[in-house]
Amino acid sequence: MNRVSATRACAVLTLAVLLAGCWQIDDLGDLPGGPHFSEAYAINEGGDVVGYGSDADGNRAFVWRRGAGLTPLPLHAGTRACIAAGINDAGLVVGHCQTSGGGRKIAVVWSGSEVEAVQFPGRRVLSSELLAVNQAGDAVGGFREEVGRSFVVDIAFSWQYGSSQPLRGITPLPSDLAGSGMARAVGPLGWVAGHAYVTPHPPWLWNPATGRGHRVGELSAPASTSGEARGINDQRQVVGVFDGRGFVWTPAGPGEVQGTTIEIPFEPYDINNRGQVVGVQGGRAVLYDLGTERLTVLEDLPEVRRAGWRRLALARAINDRGQIAGYGVNVAGDVSGFVMTPD
C-alpha cells in the first residue's frame, strides 16, 4: 500500500480508527535462495531495520532500508548463521553468529561491510551475544563463562565499540547479589536494562556511573517475582515483564534509582521518547500510548487488512518517529518482517 491510499482511507474511517492514525506498512521480504522468511529485531531513527532471514545456507543477519530492500550482512569467519539484534543511527549493527561446528554463539558487530567478534581476553567464554547498541556505540548483551571444571555463569556486559581502553571497554555488569545476568537494552547515557540471575531473576537496571544495579518493575501481589526489562528510553523509562505481567517503570528524577511502576495489559518490548510502547497481547502485535492509555491492535488497522496481512504477531521495536518493526504472516502465508510508518 502506498501513502496516498492510506491517507484517503482515513477520511471514511470511524473515530476510533482515526485516533489510531494512518499507516503505511512495508513487507521486508526475504533473502534470495532460501525459504520465504524474515524477522525484524530493531529499528533506528532513520527507519533502517535489522533482523534475520534465511538463504540457501541458513540464517543470515540483514539490514533493510526503504528503496534498497534486504541486504545480507557478512558471516564471521568460521560461522554458519547470524542474527542482527540492534542498530544505531550511525548504522552500527550488533548481534551474534553461530559457529559451524557446535553452534556456539559469538557476539559480533558489523560496521559497514566489516564484521568483528567481541574478544574476552583471560576469560573462558563458552558463548556470547549482543542485543542492543546506543548512539555512543555502547553495546550490551551477555556471555556464558566457564568457572572451574563444572560450573558456568551467565554474565551481563557492556562493550564500547572503538574504545582505546584495555579489552576495548568490556565491562561485566554485577547484579550486586550474584554477579550474573543478561543485558537487553541500553539508553543514551549508558543505563542498561535487563535481568539479574539471582533468585528469582528480577528485572534489573544498571547504573553506568557505579556499575551497580537495582530491581525495577515490581508489581503488587505477584505469584512469581521473576521477569526481565526489555526496553529503555532517554528518560530512563523501562518496560518489561514481571510475574508474567507487563510494566512501565518511571524514575523519580534524573539519576534516581527509586521510581514508580504501573501495570500495562500486554507484554511490552520497547518504548520511545513519546511514551509509545510496543509488544504483544494474545499473539497479536500492539501499540500502546502511555498518555492516552489507548491500546491499538495493529492487525486490525484497515491499512494492514487491505495489504492482506493474515496476522501481525509481534511488534518488537519503535523509534521516535513512531515507526514500528516486527513480524507477522503476510498475504502469501509467509512469516515476514514488517515496518509500519505513521502518516
Side-chain angles (χ1 to χ4, degrees):
M1 173 180 294
N2 59 43
R3 287 181 177 272
V4 173
S5 58
T7 302
R8 287 176 179 170
C10 286
V12 295
L13 298 178
T14 66
L15 177 61
V17 174
L18 278 169
L19 290 173
C22 301
W23 297 83
Q24 173 185 354
I25 183 166
D26 289 290
D27 188 334
L28 301 191
D30 49 67
L31 295 169
H36 300 295
F37 169 82
S38 62
E39 185 171 332
Y41 268 64
I43 185 169
N44 66 13
E45 293 304 318
D48 303 328
V49 177
V50 295
Y52 78 103
S54 296
D55 63 13
D57 298 318
N59 290 340
R60 290 288 299 274
F62 67 74
V63 174
W64 177 92
R65 293 182 174 91
R66 180 170 281 115
L70 294 182
T71 300
L73 294 171
L75 295 169
H76 190 268
T79 65
R80 59 179 175 81
C82 296
I83 292 177
I87 182 171
N88 67 12
D89 291 352
L92 192 68
V93 179
V94 299
H96 74 267
C97 293
Q98 289 182 284
T99 59
S100 301
R104 181 171 68 93
K105 290 183 179 180
I106 299 173
V108 297
V109 58
W110 289 273
S111 179
S113 61
E114 301 296 322
V115 57
E116 179 181 350
V118 178
Q119 302 298 317
F120 299 85
R123 293 181 175 272
R124 301 173 67 182
V125 173
L126 303 178
S127 66
S128 61
E129 59 183 317
L130 289 170
L131 296 176
V133 60
N134 66 12
Q135 308 303 348
D138 299 317
V140 299
F143 64 87
R144 174 163 290 185
E145 182 176 20
E146 184 177 15
V147 181
R149 294 183 178 181
S150 59
F151 183 70
V152 297
V153 61
D154 294 308
I155 300 174
F157 76 99
S158 64
W159 182 71
Q160 175 64 53
Y161 180 75
S163 172
S164 60
Q165 299 173 1
L167 310 187
R168 297 199 61 192
I170 294 173
T171 305
L173 299 170
S175 70
D176 298 340
L177 296 176
S180 59
M182 175 65 76
R184 297 188 171 276
V186 56
L189 299 179
W191 287 81
V192 178
H195 63 275
Y197 286 135
V198 297
T199 303
H201 298 187
W204 211 257
L205 183 65
W206 285 275
N207 184 336
T210 65
R212 301 182 67 81
H214 60 93
R215 298 170 187 255
V216 294
E218 294 183 326
L219 298 169
S220 62
S224 166
T225 54
S226 64
E228 63 184 20
R230 293 172 173 169
I232 184 172
N233 66 12
D234 292 2
Q235 289 79 46
R236 284 196 303 126
Q237 287 181 297
V238 176
V239 297
V241 291
F242 177 83
D243 183 35
R245 296 177 285 167
F247 73 81
V248 179
W249 178 86
T250 301
E256 292 285 342
V257 297
Q258 301 299 319
T260 58
T261 302
I262 62 170
E263 184 174 351
I264 53 178
F266 65 98
E267 290 189 33
Y269 275 78
D270 197 15
I271 181 171
N272 68 11
N273 290 322
R274 298 162 60 185
Q276 296 174 311
V277 184
V278 292
V280 60
Q281 181 190 67
R284 302 200 296 174
V286 295
L287 167 67
Y288 183 74
D289 188 286
L290 288 176
T292 63
E293 299 184 359
R294 181 176 297 113
L295 181 73
T296 302
V297 178
L298 295 178
E299 66 184 52
D300 289 344
L301 294 171
E303 296 91 337
V304 177
R305 290 178 177 176
R306 280 196 302 276
W309 285 82
R310 302 182 186 184
R311 171 60 57 95
L312 297 188
L314 174 62
R316 193 187 294 272
I318 185 168
N319 64 18
D320 288 340
R321 295 171 59 193
Q323 291 181 294
I324 300 169
Y327 72 91
V329 180
N330 65 16
V331 64
D334 301 322
V335 175
S336 190
F338 69 81
V339 176
M340 294 185 64
T341 301
D343 280 325

